[in-house]
Structures are given as structure tokens and as C-alpha cells.
Amino acid sequence: MKEKALSRRELLQRSGAVGMMAAGQSSWLPAAGVPQGKADSCIFIWLGGGACHIDTFDPKRLGDPQQRKAGSAYNPIDTAIEGVQVCEHLPQTARILDRTVIVRSCHHDVIDEHAAAVNRVHTGRPPTGTTTYPSIGSVTANQLGARNEGLPAYVVMGYPSASRGPGFLGARNSYLYLTETSLGPAALKRPHDVPPGRQQRRNALLEHLRTDYFRRNSRQEKVNNYVQASVEGMKLAGPEFMKVFELESESKDVRAQFGGEFGQRCLLARRLVQAGVRFVEVSFNLNFINGTGWDTHNEGQKNQHMLIRQLDQAFSSLLVDLEKHKRLDRTLVVIATEFGRPPEFDNRGGRGHYSKAFSMVLAGGGLQTGQVVGVTDELGKEILEDPVSLADFHATIYAAMGIDPARELYDGNRPVPITDSGKPIERLFRS
Amino acid sequence: MSAMLVLIPDARTLALLVLVVFTGIARGEDPPPATLSPYANVILADKPVGYWTMEEKAGKQIQNRGTTGAVLGGTLMNQVMLGQAGPRLPDYPLFNNENRALILGKPAGWVVVSDPGERSPLDFDNGDSITIEAWINLQSLSEGQQVYILGKGRTNNPGVASDNQNYSLRMRGIEGTAHLSFLFRNADNRPGQQNDFHRWNSKEGLILDGRWHHVAFVYRFGDPDSAHAVIDGTPGKGSWEMGGPTSKPPVVDNDELWIGSSMGGNPGCSFQGGLDEVALYRHLVPIERLARRYRAIFPDPREAEYAAAEKLPRGTVEVGLFESVPSQPGMVPLSTQPHRSYRQKSLAFVGVPRKYTTTGVIDDRSNPYLLRARNWLTLDAEKTGNYSIVLRARSAAHLYIDGELVAQTPLMSKNADGHEAVPELKTSDRQDLRLLPAGCQEQLVSVKLTAGEHLFRLDAMIGGTGQRAEVDNLCVAIAGEGGEFQLLAADRQPRQGMLEADWQELRSEQLADLARLDSATRQGASTLWQQYWDRRHTAGRQQVAMQPGIPVPAATSPGMIHNEIDHFINSRLDEAGLKPATLVSDFDFLRRVSLDTVGVTPTLGEIKAMFADRRKSRREHAIDRLLDDPRWADNWVGYWQDVLAENPGILKPKLNNTGPFRWWIYESFLDNKAMDRFVTELVMMEGSTYGGGPAGFSMATQNDVPMAAKAQVLTKAFLGIEMKCARCHDAPFHPFKQQELFGLAAMLTGKELTLPESSIASLANGGRESVVKVSLAAGTTITPHWPFPELAGADLPASLEEGTRGTREELAARLTSPANHRFAEVIVNRLWQRYMGIGLVDPVDDWHSAGNESSHPALLQYLAKRFIEGGYDLKKVARLILSSHTYQRAVGDDDRLLFAAATRRRMTAEQLVDSLFAISGKQITQELLTLDPEGRRPVESFLNLGRPTRAWQLTSLSNERDRPALALPMAQEVVEFLRVYGWRESRPNPLTVREETATVLQPLTLANGVVGRRTVRLSDDNALMELVLAGLPLNQLIEKITLRILSRPPTDTERKLFSRLLSEGYNDRIITLSTNHSKLQQRPRNAVSWSNHLSAEATTIKMEIERQVRRGDPPSERLNADWRERMEDVIWALLNSPEFTFLP
């Protein structure tokens, strides 16, 4: 009940969305057989809508939407991993596929509703009526904080949603978000009509009012913390962190290399990670390219290859760029999606939802890349080998980041393990 | 009019009619001689095998007058009435004055004609020709429904093959009209093979308008091209579906022929309404002859219309709402009584009054329902001429002038699956019409009107299958030659234009009118219910009076005592040797009490009123004014949304979604409903589920036992008992067992509950020893039982028995019984916590956690007693607390638990947003909180929560799909602001005290975010502009701005600071504009809806809006830009000062 004074460090830890704790790696003593990775950051690429695994990372025999013949929509091509093929619209990724691990045996049981599946993949578990689980980004923010002091731990490029939120971990483990790279982060970016000089005038006025207020009122901790948060916030909104968002400072070639808005988001993600942000979720929600985005019902299928090509360009550029900046080993890049799609076509040439088997991708992060986990049957409908549950997938990401997937968090006095008995995919970790 | 048949709206009326018939017979009237109408002779000339004229007046049999004779007589089954009026003179000249018909009622009535045997006249095989005809007056038919006129086979009789449809003629509802539908099954009759059915539907249909219609069908089996229909004398084509056209023979057997129903009398396929002159032929009656069967002469519609409107008052628009109507306007006879009628000023609608149950909670109307509005309009002699008229409606609407249809809109199209194109903006060359809103249809016509009185009638269908029944943007506007469009108003009513600004003005005015109507309806509808509560409260008072009194302690702090509360508090302070803090200033008091009661900071007017009151008791008067203020309700909704886990989703169900019962919460506090009644209505879960009634509380989507979730909410909210853990196992830190929670859940369900596997905690995790105990096994049956005998004992007081018919009523009674002191204590403790920052028991929703004892047990009991004595009136206890010295004390650092001083509290998220928008006077957002503004999707998966005017009305925007086209950019800014200050966008679980940690994003969002920027920006619609533009001396402007924002005059520091900044250029700040450009600009049309959100254009539009929103409101050009910026900076600094965010 009692409020007590917070040290500056504590304040920073509590400060929100922008849990700015600058912490070292949390280290845990791995239980026998639980591997521990060396990644210190994560870029979580989100293909919202449910990307079709057999049209991307798990190609199968060719189908035909016109004839409603089940199968992949595109031809397969060879990759840098011997004997492993991906779809023909991923040529650049194919060339560096040895930096990645395709997990072809992801599965869960939600297909009827996007929001529920999005929640499932972000929290790694089915919902229960009595608690709200945190997202993988919030758990990471909670466990590791930001890599550098004065920075947010968790940034989302996409729309804010409860599934991306901190759940019972509370506001301090929430995200900072932006919906478009050119708009910058909501609330952080100084309004365009307030140039630095005007902001200084404002700050000077405010400083006077605050001093005057504290002269008339006792300096209570609640108010004090708020004012301190405000001062920290202004620093965050200041030039140092805002420079990270200035993509113009990258060379023209680099920007062109990454491609359109999604590519620019990936480039910004690299800059954020470089600056010390711990977890960046990058949403690929540019559904105007083909209408439906990755949710390729009906006519959405027709131009799906354009989405795949954008993904190819941005993802491969990101890996190459991270490598160039010597960060790929320490940055885990994930391609995640809420579910896959069936090999069958609907009567307008598109595809429905499918979650009994689908693919997600891990790259860099110091993992033993250059392998494929899981095998599906001839049309990608059944998992034949090495099923990876969402708990296992999350556990793999956490382990790669040095977080114990079995550690307990607390919702009030109720213990909640970070994953529900998730087991990291062992062969991805160097022994 | 006289020819129109009596409608049969429901079974009750039907029973009444039956009664009338039998009374007639009892009087011994003889049936008149069976004279056949001229029509019968026409039919007989064509030699039908079966011809049932339905002339019988009584009995169980009907005669066949066809060539086959008595062998095809019929037997009446279930709800059939004989002797009712059929088509008659003068409207139907082929008939006589006495023609009688059958009426088939609900749930089903039919006539059985036995098959005489093999190869009987009723059997049709390949090569046989068939003609079927009948007169029908069908009363209801929903979309896709098919009702039988006549069918051979498919009776579900034992001993015959199923699906054995030899032939049948049915009526099928297709897009609001009734089409002829012929169905047979081919002789293959393979079980489960849908394609063995062959169905032919007529292209044209008829409107169910309460009149008699003639339908006929001809066909030669084996020749699919031979099918033809004749409807009301007009021959027509059709097409085959299901198995398609076929030359296969039909299934033939000895099953019965039924008239009016099929499949064992299934109500869904049973004809409702009048049937007459049913005839069956074994040859093709020539189409021309069938066409001549229909002759009808109706009276001049003007006369009928005028006759019906004679009593309509002049100078007002009379609106009637008719429920349970077919999906087509114009079919409800003028003589039918509406379920609800009221009056308004014009033929323009932004909504309709709500419907209420007998307990006064929000209820649903049928979907669809019909809105009929009529009014007289008088044109002066010089105004004879041509008029342009525009009709706007969402779905089908008809506009009649003097009984003649002059304009109409079609039914709303369906299947809005996301792949449509964003509709083109219809730019009529008329500049005097506001843009057509998304999903709205319009028709523009030109009519000639003469001088004199004219009767206007608008019939609009509201809602429809799979669509939401909403009324908005429905209107009729009229323009004389060369004149501007005006909304059609009744005589003597003010005329309004049809521009956006006019419509916004109309909106706010009509919404206020509707709110007044609704308030009156609530009180009127629930009189008996209110009387029941009055009796209960009297009994409660008596009960409390019998209990020993609670002594009020003496205290030794003179001048520090306003009322009894202070005695309790100060005596404890005396014991602790502490001195109470002094009172806050009147300015600080007013700000604090305004936020605590109405949820916003005081206006300049309210501050003035307070200081104009020279009485010593002016604080008391201010409290009274604020307690009477309707904004009291706004300030409570957000609180109960949290506590009761109100969690509506605007897009498809997610975890623990409920209905939007926020509207019921709002109305309850608007009406200052007694809290025991409030809780009872919540527990009873009646009224509307999706429209805002307490039935919305009964929902918990994706939850395996919704009632267990509800029991957990109720105990936490009203008993301070936390049973969250008991949901899946016995609570480790609380004395509650899963058995007890499910006993309550069973009480809510009204029967035994079986514990599902999914509600049992899995203990397999981790392998460590669990503190959690599972004492129940999946499949355990739990009977309804009240697990807290210590709170409300075995016997309920007699005064409560009235309300205890089932276990749910019993639960409500036990929760709210005056014998249950815990309930009263929990409520007054909640109130105390809201006003004092910390409860007498804290946390307020968990009284059983370790070490949670009351700090002032006697005070708690005292307040609870006063609460019961006051009839559970929250305002009475609130007045007591707000008037106390304890509440009015300055903030201090002393021990908070003893209340020597007030606690520093931060405004809630809602109070911040509401205060900001109250200061700027701007709209929170213009966006509707829905992803389907067109209203083309069902309410079960797409809610429309309207255009928010207060923060509690916002909700999660549900863009988990991450699609820019689904964004609501303006609302999103407000939602994000609320969220960073601790408001929950979704509320799957109950919560009372929100997380209050200061985060970096809070001050940042206020400083840089769109919501804060909108308040600061001096755009033309900013209410602060009024002060800025008034010719005040600078020091007065500074004073007023500071008063408006911080509710106190500026300090010396502030005065100096601000005047130094603002004096330069102050006298030249105002720029006089040459043109009057302040008229509200037409905003870019946002026609994005779920139906088109997958189109590239939808994304482009929304992203542009998002950028616009982020750019901010355009600054006023009436101010010098440099001075304006300095003024804005002063406003910015005042708003960002901690003094704004924290209560004094």
C-alpha cells in the first residue's frame, strides 16, 4: 500500500512501454539438456493473415487453381541447403538459406478466427478465462529489458493489439509502436509543427510551472515519479533515439536493396536492434499489394507471388545487412504467422486456413542454421516427423535469447511458466 | 381498404378469432346455402380433378368440387380456421360478397387429402401434365424460407420413403419478395442425394402486402422447359436449381397430398395466412386463361391513405414501429397498430427510441422491423409546382405522397465479404446535399405538387436477416424549383437544410429528444418493478431499525468535523495523536469534487456559480448540483465496465467477450437506480444481449463455462470474494473451493452443472510439488447452491420472496438481501475507495486475502447501515462522504490509512480524455466504432458502438488482422491515450484498481500525441477560441485560460510568465477574414467498410486518413500565426503540468 521512493534505476525499470532497463543477459543455469543460446536481440517478422507454407517454405507438387487441383501454386527451386527447396519467388533467400532454419512442422488447432490464432502464436498457449497472457515480445522485454539504457525494450511496427501486449506483466512491459516508417513512433515523435526552438520554449514554460507546483505542494512520490517519467520521456523523444528512425541517413543503395515499405521496416528493425532495442516485431501488413495480404482467400491468391517476392527481398537483405554489421550471430530473426493454408483451392482460386501443419522460420541468432526441422506429407497437410508445438517454438526462441523457458512469472500470486513445458529444438543449439 | 384481410400477427389473435367463430355457431346461426361465386364456375369449366373452394364454415372436413369428387375431400389438421373472409367484392370482382377462405395459423395447420391408391388422380408421372393454382394471402415469409401451398408426398408419414416428393408448389422468400417455387424428386430418390431434388423458382415474386394474390403453375413431367408461372395475371419464367432441369420421372407412391404444410407439419415450411380456391388439374390450363383468373380493383390509394391519416395531428411527424413484419416495406396495412409510436419534427432519423422490458432494461425489437413515418404538409397557393425529392435509406424504403408511391430504395445487398470495390462517391450536381454516407442508398425524383395539404408517408425496413437493425441517415428532403434542399419537416416546424452541418445539428437535437423519450419509457415501463423495490427498501429499513445502533464516537478536533464520518475518523486520529489536515481551498475542492462526481474538470460557468454563492454552505450546494448532474452516470460507467468485465468485441467473438451492457450501466446510474436493484438486474441478465441490455452480461465467448466466469465476477464485485483461482482448482491463498464457485454457476444456470475437463487445472507441468489442490474430477455434477451461509443465511426475509422463482432469482436475492451486510459494506467501501484513494478494507474486491482487515470497522458498518436506510441509494452515501471534512482535506504525507489528510490521486484515463475534450469542445472522433458502418453484417459478429461522446464509450478496435483498411485512425489515437493511462481496451477479467505505475509513455502521449495536440491546437472548432477572440485584456485572458484548465486563478509566477510571452502582438492577434469560410467543410468521404476492406483503395483511403489525423487539426486563420503558437504553448504547458493530471 505504501508508496516508496524509487531510485532512478527502478523508475526506469518500471517505466513503461518503454521498459528501459539496461540489463546484462539474464543468465540461468540450464537444467540438464536445456540449451542456452547467445542471441541478444530478436526481430520477429509477422506475416499477418496466415502465410501459405506450401507456396513459400514447404513447396509441394504443383496444383492448379483453375482446375481446383490441390498443390503448390509455384515451382520449387534449389537452395543453399542441399536437398532443400523453397518456392521460386524466394530466389534471394534461397541463396542464403544456410543462415536459416525452416521449421516445417509447426501446428496448433485454431483456424476459424484470425484474432484467436494471432493470440495463440504471440502468447504460445491457448487462452484461459482467468488471466491475460503476455506476448513473446513483452516476456522478452520483461526478462531482458533493453540492451542500452534509455531505450525501449520492445517496439512494434504494425497496429497495436492486445495480442502484442504485456497481459498480466503490466504496462511497463508493453511496446512502443509505429504504423508507418515515415510517421515514426506515435507519441514519441515531436509534432512537425513544433521545431526544436518551440519545444524549448514549451519546456521552459513547463519547467516553471512544475517548480511553482512543487513550491506549493509537497513533493509526493506519485507525482514525482510521473514528472521523472516525463523528463525521461522527453529524453527518449530527443534527437539521440529519434536519429534511429532517420532512414534517410542510410545510403540510397542500402535503402533500395531493402525495397518497399516492408523492406524499410526491416531496415529500421536492424537500426533499432543495433541501437539496443531488444525485441522488434515487424508486421508485413501491406494487403493492398494483392488485396488480402497473406490471407489469400478468393482473388487474394492471384498476386500472392508479389508478397512473397517482397518478403524475399526484405528478409534476405536483412540477413545480409545484419551479417555485414556483424549482428546476425546475436540477432535472432523469426518469420512467424498465425497459421498456414491448405493445398486445396476455393472456388475463386484462393485458399482457406490450415493449422495442422505450417512453416515458420528462424535465422541467425547463433543457432545451428542450415537445417530444416520437420517433414510434412506430399501436400503439406500432415506432419510426418518432428512436430514442433507453439510452446516448443517459443521455448526455442527464448532459449536462443538466453531466457529459461520454464521460469515462472507471476500474475499476482499465481505462478505462470514462460512456456507451458516448451522444449527448445535441441539440434539448433551448439553443444 | 375494406378488402384487406385481418392480419394474424400471433397465436393469441388467432385464438381470439377462433373464439368468435365458435360463438357464432353457438348462437345457432345456420350456414348460408353453398352458393358458388362466379369464379368457381370459371374454374369448373376447366375440369380440375381437385378443387377445394374452402367455403365450409365449420367442422373438420373440406369438400372437393373437382371432377374426382368426394374421394379427394380434405381433413383439417391443427391450426386451421374455416369461414374467414377470402377475396371478395368489391376489390375482387370475380368473387361474391361471401367468399370464404382457410386461414392457417401458427405453428402449423394443414389439410390432408388421402391418395385413393395406385395410379390415382393425385399421382403424376413422366408425360403427365399438371396445373396447380391457388389464391393466397401469405402473412409472413423470411428470406430463403419455403412454405407449402400444396405438396404430394414428403409428409414424413410412416411406411413411405422419405423425400418422396411427387410434386409441390411452394412460396419461397427471395430478396424480400415471395416467389413461386415448384419442387419434385426424381424416381432415383437416393438417400442423402440433394441433386435428386429438382426445384424451379419463378423469376418474379410478389410483395406480401396483406392482399389476396393469385398464383398458378403449369408443367409437363419429363419436359423441363414446360414450366411456367402466372402471378396475379402476369405470365412469367423461372429457372431450375438443385438437381437442375431433368427429364427423369418423379417419385410416385401412395402418400398423401397436403395443403399448407409438409414434413410432418414442420412450422418452417408451413403456410401462415389465407388460402383459397386451390385447384389441381391433370392437363395444362392455357396460360391466357390462368392470367384471366386474377382481377382486382382497389380503391384509390389516396382515399385509403387519407382515411387512415384523418386523425393524424398536424404540425408533427407521427412515427410508428412495427415488429415481426416480412422483409419488405409497404406490406403492413395502415390499420395495423404499431408496437411503438411517437412524434418528432421531421422525416429525418439518426435513431429511434429504445425498447425496454418491464423491468426497464434495454430490449431488442424484432429484426427486421418497419418504421413508418407520416405527416401532413401544407403548400400555399403560390407554391404549386415541381419539387425535387430525395429519399435516403440503408435498406428498402418507400415514400408515398397522398397514397402514391413516389420514391423507393431497394433492399440492402448482402454477402459483404470484403472483396467489393469501395463505392464511388455519387456526386449529384446538387451542392445542397450532404455526401451520401457509406451503405446508404438514395433516390432523387421530381414530383408536381399542388397547393393544399399533402400526406407524406415513409415506410422503411430496418435491418433484415444477417444485418443489423440500425437507424441512421434515413431521411426525406425536398426542394422547390431553384430552391435548396430542406429536410422534410411537418407544418409549423422549423426548416433545416441538408448540408453536413445541418445534419450534425439535427443529430445532437434528435439524440437529446430520444434520450428524454427513453428516460420516460424506462420509468413508465417499470412502474410495477419500482413498486416492488420500494416495498423491499421499506422492509430493509425496518430490518435495520431493529438492529442495535452503531455509536458515533466523540472526537476532540473542533472545526474539523462536518458530519459523523469525521467523528469516526478523528477519534482514531486522536488515539494516534495525529492532527487532521486543513480543508483545501474552494477552487481545489471544486476541481476535486467535480472529477469525483461528473468525471471532468469544472467549466468557467461552474466555477463562477460556486463563487457567486455567498452562503457558508456553498460547498454543500455545489455537491448537490454535481450529484444531480447527468454526467454522474458517465463517471461511473468506466468503473463498472472494469469491475463487471464488460468486454464487447466489435469484430467476431474473442475470449470472454460480452454484450455491450455499458448502455444499461449508463442508464442505471442516470436513473440513480438503487444498487440492490442494479445487482438484481445484472444477475437476471434480461433484455437485449447485443443492444446494451444486461443480457449482454450473460455472454462469455470461447469460455467453457460462462456462468462460472460470471459467478467469479459477481462475488468479487459485490461480496469482496476473489474466486479466480477456484475457476480451475481450489484456491491456494483463499478459503474458497471450486465446488463453491460452480455451485454459484449452477445457480446462475438454473440447473445442475457438469464440470468440463477444460475447467480442471492440469498439474502435469513442471514436476514440482504443487500448492494447488484439485478436489473435483471432470464430469462431477454440481447442484445449484449458495455457498456463503455466513453472509446470507438459510432463510430469506419474506420481503424478498416475491422475487425468488428460480435459483438465479434466489442468487440475486441472497446477494442483495439486507440480511447480507457484506453486500452493503462492499458497496460503501468501493465508494470510499473511489473518493479517498484507499478503501476502509483494501483491496476492495478481495476481503479474504491475508491481513486484510478493516481499518475502521465501525465506520464501515455505520456507512452500510446508512446505505440500507437510504434504500441502497448510492448518491446519499456519496453526499455524506463528499461533505465530510475528511474528504475535503488537503493532501498530506501522513499515514494514509488513518485519513488525516487526503491522498494524492491521478485522474483516471477516462477523466483525462473527457476533461481534455471538454476543454477544447472538440468531438472525440467522428468515426463510428464499427468495422461495418454499412450495417450489412450480423450483430453477433459485428457490433456498432456508435460515435463516442465520452471516453467510456470507446472499445478495443480489434485490428488483430493488422490491416490498415480496418484501422479507425482517429479513434485509435484516443484508445492508445486511454491505454497508456491504464484503461483496458479489452476486459476479459474483472478489475477494480488499475495499474497506476507512471510510465514514460504517459506524459509523452499527453505532450506529443494527437489527443493532447488536438486540445492545444487553436483550430476554428476549439472552444478556447471563444476566450481568445473575446476582447479581453490580456491579464483576464490569462486568468480565464488558467481557470479553465487548472480550475484556479494563475499564480503570480504564471501571470508574469504568460503575460511576458503573450503581450507582444496581443492587440494585433486577430485577423479579420474577408470570406466567411467557417462553414463546416465536407470531409473526404470514408466509404471503407468490411464489405470492401480488402480492396487496395480501402487501404489507401485509410492510410491517408491516418496521415491526416497525425498532421493534426488545421490551425485557425483568424489568429496571427506567431501569436497563436505562443498561446498554444501556454495551453500546452498548463496541460502538461502535473497539476493538470493529479487531483488537488
Side-chain angles (χ1 to χ4, degrees), chain B residues 594-760:
Chain B
S594 294
L595 284 164
D596 278 335
T597 49
V598 297
V600 286
T601 57
T603 62
L604 290 179
E606 285 169 311
I607 296 171
K608 201 173 158 192
M610 166 102 182
F611 286 92
D613 186 347
R614 312 306 302 180
R615 288 171 290 186
K616 259 189 125 176
S617 52
R618 69 181 181 193
R619 290 194 182 191
E620 299 284 314
H621 299 294
I623 292 170
D624 286 343
R625 275 197 303 277
L626 289 164
L627 289 176
D628 277 345
D629 194 305
R631 293 172 298 172
W632 160 268
D634 291 299
N635 194 37
W636 276 110
V637 181
Y639 182 87
W640 290 106
Q641 282 174 315
D642 263 353
V643 172
L644 302 177
E646 190 252 13
N647 189 30
I650 59 171
L651 169 60
K652 299 189 181 173
K654 284 184 275 290
L655 180 67
N656 285 350
N657 272 161
T658 67
F661 59 96
R662 52 183 60 194
W663 306 110
W664 165 78
I665 298 175
Y666 175 71
E667 291 182 347
S668 296
F669 284 87
L670 197 61
D671 298 347
N672 195 31
K673 206 174 265 176
M675 286 307 289
D676 50 353
R677 174 176 166 184
F678 174 76
V679 174
T680 301
E681 290 176 2
L682 180 75
V683 172
M684 296 309 298
M685 305 178 196
E686 290 171 342
S688 168
T689 304
Y690 293 99
F697 177 63
S698 67
M699 274 172 65
T701 50
Q702 302 187 342
N703 193 310
D704 57 352
V705 191
M707 286 306 144
K710 301 305 155 180
Q712 182 204 324
V713 171
L714 291 171
T715 56
K716 194 169 157 78
F718 304 117
L719 300 175
I721 289 178
E722 170 63 273
M723 301 189 90
K724 171 170 149 183
C725 303
R727 182 73 179 78
C728 299
H729 51 76
D730 294 346
F733 306 111
H734 289 90
F736 306 115
K737 302 210 176 337
Q738 195 175 12
Q739 166 92 19
E740 296 172 331
L741 180 73
F742 276 78
L744 288 169
M747 284 185 94
L748 286 169
T749 314
K751 56 177 192 215
E752 287 182 344
L753 267 184
T754 306
L755 192 65
E757 176 81 51
S758 47
S759 279
I760 305 276

Side-chain angles (χ1 to χ4, degrees), chain B residues 249-567:
Chain B
V251 58
V252 186
D253 61 15
N254 292 332
D255 199 358
E256 295 162 346
L257 176 141
W258 284 16
I259 296 171
S261 186
S262 182
M263 293 183 269
N266 180 341
C269 68
S270 299
F271 192 98
Q272 309 278 336
L275 253 187
D276 200 11
E277 314 296 335
V278 180
L280 174 72
Y281 306 81
R282 297 195 63 87
H283 58 93
L284 299 176
V285 177
I287 299 282
E288 322 79 68
R289 285 182 65 81
L290 291 171
R292 285 201 296 272
R293 307 277 215 256
Y294 180 79
R295 278 195 61 203
I297 304 164
F298 295 113
D300 185 339
R302 294 165 194 240
E303 283 170 33
E305 186 91 32
Y306 281 138
E310 237 168 66
K311 286 185 192 138
L312 273 189
R314 306 308 198 255
T316 181
V317 175
E318 176 110 335
V319 188
L321 306 175
F322 300 76
E323 297 188 42
S324 307
V325 293
S327 311
Q328 184 70 31
M331 66 292 171
V332 176
L334 289 158
S335 54
T336 305
Q337 287 301 309
H339 290 78
R340 174 73 203 264
S341 59
Y342 64 101
R343 290 170 187 172
Q344 64 179 41
K345 292 171 192 154
S346 62
L347 277 181
F349 297 84
V350 302
V352 293
R354 282 190 170 130
K355 184 180 178 179
Y356 291 93
T357 67
T358 51
T359 53
V361 305
I362 299 167
D363 205 356
D364 289 323
R365 292 205 166 82
S366 71
N367 185 8
Y369 66 92
L370 179 100
L371 179 154
R372 167 170 292 158
R374 293 181 298 166
N375 73 291
W376 290 101
L377 185 74
T378 313
L379 292 180
D380 304 333
E382 69 273 16
K383 289 195 178 154
T384 295
N386 284 321
Y387 286 83
S388 299
I389 289 183
V390 64
L391 164 67
R392 286 183 168 187
R394 199 178 257 192
S395 188
H398 290 175
L399 176 69
Y400 302 84
I401 301 179
D402 302 325
E404 273 182 276
L405 184 64
V406 297
Q408 61 179 321
T409 51
L411 278 170
M412 178 192 282
S413 62
K414 293 194 165 183
N415 300 324
D417 67 356
H419 294 271
E420 295 178 14
V422 178
E424 274 292 307
L425 172 56
K426 262 193 242 158
T427 42
S428 69
D429 33 3
R430 308 255 347 188
Q431 295 299 304
D432 49 349
L433 283 175
R434 69 189 279 254
L435 296 178
L436 191 67
C440 223
Q441 316 187 71
E442 79 173 356
Q443 199 191 10
L444 217 123
V445 294
S446 179
V447 291
K448 190 167 183 208
L449 294 176
T450 53
E453 255 193 341
H454 295 280
L455 180 63
F456 283 73
R457 164 156 70 100
L458 168 66
D459 279 0
M461 198 187 88
I462 311 300
T465 314
Q467 299 169 354
R468 296 195 310 277
E470 287 167 7
V471 180
D472 196 6
N473 300 312
L474 173 67
C475 67
V476 178
I478 186 166
E481 265 171 297
E484 291 205 336
F485 267 113
Q486 291 186 319
L487 288 168
L488 197 95
D491 284 343
R492 302 193 291 274
Q493 296 292 348
R495 310 269 150 198
Q496 250 173 327
M498 191 42 193
L499 292 170
E500 188 59 35
D502 301 311
W503 190 262
Q504 295 312 333
E505 198 180 311
L506 172 100
R507 176 185 302 282
S508 50
E509 197 184 319
Q510 196 174 90
L511 288 178
D513 287 344
L514 288 171
R516 276 191 290 275
L517 266 181
D518 285 348
S519 169
T521 313
R522 280 199 299 281
Q523 317 311 328
S526 59
T527 320
L528 285 175
W529 184 235
Q530 182 56 48
Q531 285 165 3
Y532 163 74
W533 285 101
D534 291 345
R535 285 197 299 281
R536 267 187 66 161
H537 293 148
T538 308
R541 265 188 287 275
Q542 286 162 355
Q543 218 174 329
V544 170
M546 288 185 300
Q547 289 159 2
I550 296 154
V552 177
T556 60
S557 25
M560 300 287 199
I561 287 179
H562 287 178
N563 62 28
E564 297 84 344
I565 289 176
D566 305 317
H567 281 277

Side-chain angles (χ1 to χ4, degrees), chain B residues 34-41 43-44 48 50-57 61-66 72-74 82-87 95-96 98-102 111 133-135 212 259 275-280:
Chain B
T35 49
L36 290 182
S37 60
Y39 181 85
N41 293 320
I43 302 295
L44 290 172
Y51 176 33
W52 299 275
T53 63
M54 321 288 184
E55 285 306 300
E56 290 74 11
K57 285 192 75 179
Q61 305 295 324
I62 57 166
Q63 213 184 326
N64 169 32
R65 295 175 196 273
L72 295 187
L82 292 170
Q84 305 301 309
F95 291 88
N96 60 25
E98 281 146 14
N99 178 37
R100 285 178 289 275
L102 279 188
V111 178
E133 65 176 326
W135 279 80
W212 285 94
I259 296 171
L275 253 187
D276 200 11
E277 314 296 335
V278 180
L280 174 72

